[in-house]
């Protein structure tokens, strides 16, 4: 791969905190190598801002390997930028060319308030998991792992759902700010495994109730979430979430009257 | 002992429909009912293509407006239509509220089909179209039935009269185009919302949805066009 | 007993007491559990425990202690406990299940781990780890962790470096993620039940010690910048390793030593800080802008062959170099284990070749990892399976690539994303990178540090991996500590604390600790120098990588100590931190962490200087065989070096003699 250097114009959202209004700030950055990752380009910008005694741009990031789910930029009109199945930290500057203007915004969702600049508060996802995204098994209660064979296909499908990194790109991409891909992935994973069966009914109902409470929108099947998901989580998970909800709400007799 | 996390009150119907998924499932179920209705509607209207001066068509239309089962179903149709629209609008409002600050630069075409994002807009256009459509054909029929002593009603003739105006034909085409996109997205979407996604059947449903939308809309569009251009007499 | 680094070897106190239970190695844990003091349910409700970090160790500990009924407060600096860096572990988790019927047992896992650690770990701890390993898999499966399975529906295993059995459980290349999400879900369940209070985007900045016991922490809310005081009857540090001291490592950007270092400065001994693992298969550095290195699973060495050109500074592309001009140096030097030698051996061999001028790529600091042979081999096997007798070379390559893609597809994709090169067509370039730290806070058998009531779990402690960690053992240790060890051992301490009423956070010890933290933050902000935190961190990393990295010698280490001290001095006079204290300020957060790394850096060099032998990941150039292999010195260095902070640049060395009752010490050989 040939390397090249480029000069870019960045339009970056700046917002002091959740109480203030934000605005765009334009930066020119030069000598950006095509080998850099997108966040390394931001590192370069921030180094310069520090040297100019200005506040660097705040953004969430941690593992920089595309697995922790911390990074969360809306780059050039798409969550995590132009590459498919790629987190912001794995997006490389090869995706851009000399002279490009890149617009960078935070995730925008009522349920993800902006903390500062490009950082948002995604604790709503934690609260949805608290509502039911678990198997109630205390430590020490488990039986031998091989006592319950699981159809390989189902185990693989459960894994595909479980691969969600909780970054929130699905919410950011969805025109309705819906979290149904995130919720669907967790509900599906546990619904497909026998371990999740005892709480199957309560799990989906509680998680959906919490999802609504957080202010996320509803799915209108545009499937933008799947297209933008850095882990390629399938919208089949949303169908399964719907299925689980209908099953729990219409077929189950469990619960209080 | 440990307290348990909140348990949703499952059995209450109100609770079931209070969530966005509950509401959306109603939109989907009503949508499928409406899809079926369109088949009947298009089938009956296609009788005009028999080119028998509207005789068969008027007979069937008369049957539809006199048979009590059909009249009962018609009532159901309105309930379903209103439920479909109202629930969809309630969800749409919540969806819009979910993003109070809009993106300043967004490229949604990179991740979704444009028409999939405009269901609500198409829905409103279709509703406006329906108001026109019903005032042209439905209200007159009912007036005749209830207030004018139920004379022989030449619906075919009415159609010919209405579709002789170019601008009405144009409005019909606009309404039908909105309906086409609405159906193209809505058909498979409804099944997805009802939790039916299967590796073997989902592609079939999708294909059926496409063919259905094309055929139904072509059939409907041919009616005003063929009358306006005199392809049938 | 104050002294500087040069005199440490003369003075050390008596061997530390690790409180290892009596009995045969296979009865120690049983005996311990049978006689440990318990806290009854009603009393548990009155006891508060602070847990720092929510990786595998922290999340599993917080969840399990919550289940038991303790009042738990858990802290993480990330925005959610699910993002702790355990999530990035790829390969797998070991467990002595013997599902493959290939001769595995608790004893064999124990033996492999002690040997892999080059005989520098504590036997009793490692045996316990092997014993509980099987329960971990059961627990995780019960939580819904989707491990890989065979067609019969049973769990699948693979093999990893340095062992002869298949005992590694895995979930594609995302085992750490799946295990962490399991522990995270258990943790969130306890949050929902009210047993655990979660404080995310919080950083622990000091331990509060009252009457010699750990009684709480000072934490900073990273969003508001406010300092908070939290009481705990006990404090658990599960804050991970310190690999980021090298600036470039495979750790997450936020991974830091601060929590462990604050504990160290409050009296907890720091053990074996010089044991830092350098992982052989990472994507090499591409330029100076780079902030982080990416690891690719060790499993690649199952099929990939590692080589460099025989000719120095060979300008040709890898694919253009003919077979007889390639030096498969691992196969040449270690014919028995070949490309599957343990991590430390593989890393050093790569460094040796690059230092000698045989490196490849633009930086010349890389070696090739080549799958062309594997593609041919698998291609022919596939052709055979399909009954194709004379396959064309295109057919072979096509089928071979499909097999390789199935096995390593996600890793290849990642490589291509980062480097822009297609690894199916041309050999990958790899180079070793800092990956894991075996050193950490000294703990006894109960995982208690030298400060009563203060515990260290997972990578934050030093206990189980000796001088080198085997693949797929870190996940095992983190979860063993959190799920199965700490619930018993912390109870033993807390049973004596049921009468302790929670100390109000207005207590003078809290007051004093908070004032110290606050003063330090203000000091940092007031420097208003000219150089960024990042730049200091980079410079620190370079010193340590060059002089306390894959190979160390006395002169270099002494120089490094002086350089680190000078850098620290410069840092405290010239660092520039924009922004303010009372809002989110990542530069300030980083500054505090880098300041701690600078102090740790000195101790690492000091420890490396003290340990004149080569063992595991610690390679002293003075201690090697004529053919360049590491030479251990059991008669002088069979101990754990536990350093006590004595203020300023002074540390006192305490030695815990390692006693091997079960395992006979031999020089490791992979030839």
């Amino acid at each position: 791969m040939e390397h090249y250097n480029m000069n870019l114009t960045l339009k970056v959202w700046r917002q002091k905190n959740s109480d203030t209004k934000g605005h765009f700030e334009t930066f020119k950055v030069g000598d950006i190598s095509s080998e850099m990752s997108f966040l390394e380009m931001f590192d370069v910008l921030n180094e310069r801002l520090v040297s100019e005694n200005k506040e660097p741009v705040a953004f969430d990031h941690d593992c920089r390997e595309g697995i922790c789910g911390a990074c969360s930029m809306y780059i050039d009109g798409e969550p995590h930028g132009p590459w498919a199945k790629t987190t912001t930290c794995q997006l490389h500057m090869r995706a851009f060319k000399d002279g490009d203007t890149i617009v960078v915004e935070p995730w925008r969702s009522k349920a993800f308030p902006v903390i500062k600049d490009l950082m948002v508060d995604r604790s709503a996802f934690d609260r949805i998991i608290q509502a039911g995204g678990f198997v109630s098994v205390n430590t020490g209660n488990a039986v031998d792992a091989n006592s319950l064979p699981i159809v390989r296909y189902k185990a693989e499908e459960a894994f595909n759902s479980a691969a969600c990194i909780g970054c929130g790109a699905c919410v950011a991409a969805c025109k309705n700010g819906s979290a149904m891909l995130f919720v669907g992935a967790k509900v599906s994973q546990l619904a497909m495994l026998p371990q999740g069966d005892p709480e199957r009914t309560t799990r989906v109902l509680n998680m959906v109730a919490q999802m609504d409470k957080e202010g996320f929108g509803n799915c209108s099947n545009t499937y933008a979430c799947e297209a933008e998901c850095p882990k390629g989580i399938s919208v089949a998970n949303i169908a399964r979430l719907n299925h689980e909800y209908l099953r729990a709400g219409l077929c189950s007799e469990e619960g209080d009257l | 002992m440990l307290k348990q996390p909140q348990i949703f009150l499952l059995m209450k119907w109100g609770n079931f429909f209070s969530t966005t998924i509950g509401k959306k499932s109603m939109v989907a179920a009503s949508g499928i009912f409406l899809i079926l209705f369109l088949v009947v509607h298009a089938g009956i209207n296609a009788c005009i293509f028999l080119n028998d001066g509207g005789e068969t068509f008027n007979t069937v239309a008369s049957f539809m407006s006199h048979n009590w089962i059909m009249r009962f179903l018609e009532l159901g149709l309105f309930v379903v239509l209103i439920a479909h629209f109202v629930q969809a609008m309630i969800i749409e409002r919540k969806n819009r509220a979910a993003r109070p600050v809009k993106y300043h630069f967004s490229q949604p075409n990179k991740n979704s089909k444009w028409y999939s994002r405009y269901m609500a807009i198409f829905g409103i256009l279709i509703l406006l179209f329906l108001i026109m459509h019903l005032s042209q054909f439905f209200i007159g029929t009912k007036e005749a039935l209830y207030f004018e002593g139920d004379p022989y009603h030449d619906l075919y003739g009415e159609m010919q009269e209405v579709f002789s105006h170019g601008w009405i034909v144009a409005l019909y085409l606009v309404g039908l185009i909105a309906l086409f996109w609405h159906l193209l997205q809505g058909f498979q979407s409804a099944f997805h919302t009802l939790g039916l996604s299967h590796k073997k059947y989902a592609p079939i449903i999708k294909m059926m949805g496409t063919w259905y939308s094309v055929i139904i809309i072509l059939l409907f569009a041919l009616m005003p066009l063929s009358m306006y251009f005199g392809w049938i007499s | 007993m104050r002294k500087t680094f040069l005199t440490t070897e003369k003075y050390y106190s008596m061997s530390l007491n690790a409180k290892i239970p009596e009995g045969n190695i296979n009865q120690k844990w049983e005996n311990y559990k049978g006689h440990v003091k318990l806290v009854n349910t009603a009393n548990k409700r009155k006891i508060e425990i602070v847990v720092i970090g929510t990786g595998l160790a922290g999340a599993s500990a917080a969840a399990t202690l919550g289940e038991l009924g303790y009042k738990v407060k858990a802290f993480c600096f990330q925005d959610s406990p699910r993002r702790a860096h355990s999530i990035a572990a790829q390969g797998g988790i070991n467990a002595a299940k013997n599902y493959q019927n290939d001769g595995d047992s608790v004893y064999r896992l124990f033996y492999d781990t002690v040997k892999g650690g080059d005989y520098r770990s504590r036997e009793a701890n490692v045996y316990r780890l092997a014993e509980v390993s099987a329960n971990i898999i059961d627990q995780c499966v019960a939580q819904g962790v989707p491990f890989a399975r065979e067609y019969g529906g049973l769990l699948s295993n693979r093999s990893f470096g340095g062992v002869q059995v298949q005992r590694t459980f895995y979930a594609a290349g995302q085992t750490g993620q799946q295990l962490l999400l399991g522990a995270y879900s258990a943790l969130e369940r306890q949050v929902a039940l009210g047993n655990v209070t979660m404080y995310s985007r919080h950083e622990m900045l000091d331990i509060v010690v009252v009457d010699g016991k750990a009684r709480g922490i000072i934490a900073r809310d990273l969003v508001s910048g406010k300092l908070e005081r939290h009481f705990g009857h006990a404090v658990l540090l599960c804050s991970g390793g310190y690999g980021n001291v090298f600036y470039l490592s495979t750790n997450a950007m936020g991974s830091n030593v601060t929590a462990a270092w604050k504990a160290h400065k409050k009296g907890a001994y720091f053990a074996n800080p010089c044991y830092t693992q350098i992982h052989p298969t990472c994507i090499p550095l591409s330029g100076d802008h780079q902030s982080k290195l990416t690891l690719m699973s060790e499993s690649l060495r199952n099929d990939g062959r590692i080589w460099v050109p025989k000719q120095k500074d060979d300008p040709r592309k890898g694919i253009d170099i003919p077979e007889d001009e390639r030096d498969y140096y691992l196969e040449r030097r270690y014919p028995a284990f070949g490309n599957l030698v343990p991590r430390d051996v593989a890393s050093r061999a790569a460094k040796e070749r690059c230092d000698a001028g045989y490196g490849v790529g633009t930086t010349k600091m890389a070696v090739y990892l080549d799958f062309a042979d594997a593609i041919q081999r698998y291609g022919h096997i596939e052709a055979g399976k399909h009954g194709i007798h004379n396959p064309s070379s295109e057919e072979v390559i096509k089928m071979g690539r499909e097999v390789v893609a199935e096995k390593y597809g996600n890793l290849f994709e990642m490589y291509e994303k980062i480097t822009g090169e297609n690894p199916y067509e041309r050999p990958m370039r790899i180079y070793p990178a800092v990956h894991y730290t075996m050193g950490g806070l000294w703990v006894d058998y109960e995982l208690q540090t030298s400060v009563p009531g203060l515990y260290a779990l997972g990578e934050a402690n030093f206990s189980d991996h000796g001088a080198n960690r085997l693949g797929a053992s870190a996940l095992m240790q983190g979860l063993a500590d959190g799920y199965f060890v700490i619930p018993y051992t912390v109870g033993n301490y807390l049973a004596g604390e049921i009468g302790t009423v929670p100390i109000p956070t207005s207590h003078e010890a809290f007051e004093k600790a908070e004032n110290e933290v606050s003063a330090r933050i203000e000091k940092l902000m007031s420097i208003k120098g000219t150089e960024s935190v990042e730049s200091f961190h980079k410079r620190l990393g370079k010193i340590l990588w060059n002089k306390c990295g894959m190979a160390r010698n006395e002169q270099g280490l002494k120089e490094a100590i002086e350089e680190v001290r000078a850098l620290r001095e410069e840092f405290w006079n010239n660092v520039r931190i924009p922004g303010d204290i009372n809002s989110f300020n990542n530069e300030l957060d980083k500054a505090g962490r880098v300041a701690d790394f600078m102090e740790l850096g000195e101790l690492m060099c000091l420890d490396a200087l003290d340990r004149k032998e080569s063992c595991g990941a610690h390679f002293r150039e003075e201690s090697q065989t004529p053919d360049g292999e590491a030479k251990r010195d059991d008669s002088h260095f069979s101990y754990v070096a536990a350093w006590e902070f004595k203020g300023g640049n002074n540390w006192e060395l305490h030695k815990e003699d390692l006693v091997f009752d079960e395992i006979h010490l031999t020089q490791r050989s992979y030839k």
Side-chain angles (χ1 to χ4, degrees), chain B residues 2-5, chain C residues 67 193-195:
Chain B
L2 299 176
K3 59 189 164 113
Q4 279 299 310
Chain C
E67 287 162 7
L193 290 167
N195 300 323

Side-chain angles (χ1 to χ4, degrees), chain A residues 43 46-47 50 56 59 61 64, chain C residues 203 220 222 247 253-254 256 258 524 532-535 537 571 575 577 585-597:
Chain A
D43 291 342
N46 278 347
E47 271 295 279
V50 172
F59 57 90
H61 66 115
R64 297 214 180 180
Chain C
E203 181 158 37
R220 185 163 175 268
L222 297 178
Y247 184 72
M253 301 301 284
N256 66 79
T258 291
L524 282 168
S532 71
V533 177
E534 201 73 11
S535 158
H537 194 179
F571 173 86
V575 73
I577 306 165
N585 187 343
N586 193 33
E587 289 298 304
L588 177 58
D589 308 341
K590 278 196 296 187
R593 294 168 193 165
V594 171
D596 293 334
F597 276 138

Side-chain angles (χ1 to χ4, degrees), chain A residues 74 76-78 105 108 110 171-172 174-175 205-206 212 218-221 228 235 239 242 245 250 254, chain B residues 6 8 10 16 19-20 24 94-95 98-99 103-107 110-111 117 185 189 192-193 195 197:
Chain A
Y74 199 81
D76 260 357
E78 280 180 280
E105 294 179 72
R108 298 203 187 273
K110 186 180 166 193
V171 176
C174 177
K175 77 176 187 68
L205 294 170
N206 285 335
D212 281 354
N218 183 258
C219 176
S220 54
N221 300 320
E228 297 292 1
V235 289
N242 291 326
Y245 182 83
L250 300 180
E254 205 177 317
Chain B
Q6 139 215 26
F8 196 84
L10 320 173
F16 174 77
T19 67
T20 48
K24 189 65 193 277
K94 186 171 163 61
N95 288 350
R99 178 161 296 138
Y103 289 109
H104 289 75
F105 179 60
S106 193
Q107 300 205 64
K110 289 200 168 180
N111 55 38
R117 300 192 300 271
Q185 165 69 6
S189 175
H192 208 258
T193 299
S197 171

Side-chain angles (χ1 to χ4, degrees), chain C residues 247 279 358 425 429 515 589:
Chain C
Y247 184 72
H279 196 289
Y358 297 93
E425 285 170 5
R429 289 172 294 112
N515 287 342
D589 308 341

Side-chain angles (χ1 to χ4, degrees), chain A residues 32 65 75 90 95 111 135 224 239 244 253 256:
Chain A
I32 297 297
E65 292 180 22
I75 302 162
Q90 297 280 282
V135 173
E244 289 297 309
E253 287 187 274
D256 301 325

